[in-house]
Amino acid sequence: MTSTDTFAPTTDARAANAPATIRPAVRGTGASAPNPALGAAPIDDLADSATERMTACGRVLAVLEVFDEDHITLTLSEISRRAGLSLSTTHRLVGELHRWGALERGSDGRYAVGMRVLELGALEPQGLRLREAAKPYLGDLHAATGADVNLSVRDGTDVVYIDSIRARGGAPVLTRLGGRWPMHATATGHVLLAWAAPAFRERVLAGQLKRFTSTTITDPDELRRALARVRQAGAAIVENTITHGALAIAVPVRGTQDRPIAAVGVTVPSGSVLPHVLLPTLLAAANEISRALTGGRRQQRSA
């Protein structure tokens, strides 16, 4: 998950046997959140309009919302400050969440999201069906490529990993289950954004495009051109856009109307393999997942 690279034909001799070679486009974060399809409201919207104070449910969600990729573990005072709650309220809520299993407390006194939250998230119907259909093919893909493998869906303007397999000595980027990254900075994000509704795509392009490295694409026009190349080639690569030393390739998983509903990607250390070498195996895995999801009833796109 790295510099926005997209697939485009090239005359590189090393790619002579590949139907289409990936050419990087030069240049130019996360805790789990509700499924965007459900139209989840931000925490601020959970305040009681009469009292202008957050509801009990809102306070609980505010505590859980403070955890993200940059804040995996937090002290009680850090939770209080990030949630905007008093220390006494935070102490009471964190205690209840800990007893229920939504939060875990380490030996150092710091808190992290607990297994009960992961267990509940795994029951989300669409994600559960997608994971079950994809699981054997993700395993095959991992075995064939030796790469980190992830299955991603869109959640708001982020991509979320609903399944992930880490490789021993893999690329230096976090690809854990439930991991979340902005769409503009990842290969799977580029795939999902490329085929998103035009209005949504333009809304993302008009928003804040955070720069993670010098090669993260943050210019809307440049990103728009990169996404057009993704649609043309049917796949995307990014290199060094989230962190240095990682190359990611992603392709769409399609539903019954041939509409991309997820993206499957692989991530390897930069320079370890040419992207076009991994592409046929990745495309085959995505096609098998699509077939498993649709029972072979997928309507192919017209040429």
Side-chain angles (χ1 to χ4, degrees), residues 139-165:
D140 290 346
L141 179 61
H142 173 68
T145 62
D148 291 347
V149 173
N150 66 78
L151 180 67
S152 303
V153 296
R154 178 171 71 85
D155 190 0
T157 58
D158 294 340
V159 288
V160 176
Y161 301 139
I162 63 170
D163 208 343
S164 178
I165 304 175

Side-chain angles (χ1 to χ4, degrees), residues 6-302:
T6 52
F7 288 101
T10 170
T11 56
D12 191 329
R14 294 172 296 183
N17 296 326
T21 304
I22 308 164
R23 175 172 56 82
V26 180
R27 290 198 83 88
T29 67
S32 296
N35 191 315
L38 301 179
I43 293 298
D44 289 347
D45 292 344
L46 297 175
D48 187 301
S49 59
T51 63
E52 295 300 316
R53 298 183 62 183
M54 197 175 292
T55 64
C57 177
R59 289 192 291 271
V60 170
L61 293 176
V63 169
L64 294 175
E65 194 179 48
V66 301
F67 295 92
D68 57 33
E69 297 288 356
D70 297 322
H71 304 88
I72 300 295
T73 65
L74 294 167
T75 65
L76 189 66
S77 61
E78 289 170 338
I79 295 172
S80 172
R81 183 172 61 254
R82 286 174 56 80
L85 300 171
S86 68
L87 192 58
S88 60
T89 297
T90 303
H91 183 270
R92 175 174 57 80
L93 293 175
V94 166
E96 293 177 4
L97 289 168
H98 178 246
R99 286 189 292 275
W100 186 76
L103 293 179
E104 295 178 353
R105 187 174 188 272
S107 58
D108 58 357
R110 300 177 70 86
Y111 291 90
V113 174
M115 287 299 297
R116 288 292 294 274
V117 174
L118 180 60
E119 290 167 358
L120 287 175
L123 297 177
E124 190 274 318
Q126 286 188 325
L128 180 61
R129 179 169 174 263
L130 181 55
R131 282 195 304 275
E132 289 303 312
K135 190 170 292 294
Y137 305 108
L138 296 180
D140 290 346
L141 179 61
H142 173 68
T145 62
D148 291 347
V149 173
N150 66 78
L151 180 67
S152 303
V153 296
R154 178 171 71 85
D155 190 0
T157 58
D158 294 340
V159 288
V160 176
Y161 301 139
I162 63 170
D163 208 343
S164 178
I165 304 175
R166 288 281 289 170
R168 189 185 302 275
V173 65
L174 186 63
T175 57
R176 64 175 178 82
L177 177 65
R180 172 184 298 269
W181 293 105
M183 297 181 77
H184 75 279
T186 66
T188 52
H190 278 213
V191 166
L192 294 172
L193 190 56
W195 277 280
F200 172 80
R201 187 164 57 245
E202 289 304 314
R203 179 159 63 87
V204 173
L205 292 173
Q208 181 181 12
L209 302 177
K210 179 179 178 180
R211 181 178 297 280
F212 292 88
T213 72
S214 61
T215 52
T216 307
I217 295 182
T218 58
D219 178 73
D221 290 333
E222 185 177 357
L223 182 55
R224 191 177 288 109
R225 290 191 295 269
L227 297 176
R229 292 194 295 270
V230 171
R231 288 191 296 275
Q232 181 179 28
I237 70 169
V238 298
E239 186 167 18
N240 302 327
T241 51
I242 289 289
T243 186
H244 290 288
L247 167 73
I249 312 169
V251 297
V253 173
R254 298 179 181 275
T256 54
Q257 302 300 313
D258 210 40
R259 177 178 58 86
I261 58 174
V264 60
V266 295
T267 306
V268 296
S270 293
S272 62
V273 64
L274 292 173
H276 79 270
V277 174
L278 300 175
L279 181 56
T281 306
L282 181 58
L283 286 168
N287 286 333
E288 290 299 328
I289 296 170
S290 297
R291 187 175 294 111
L293 279 171
T294 63
R297 298 187 303 275
R298 198 173 109 212
Q299 298 178 7
Q300 297 294 328
R301 291 172 295 173
S302 57

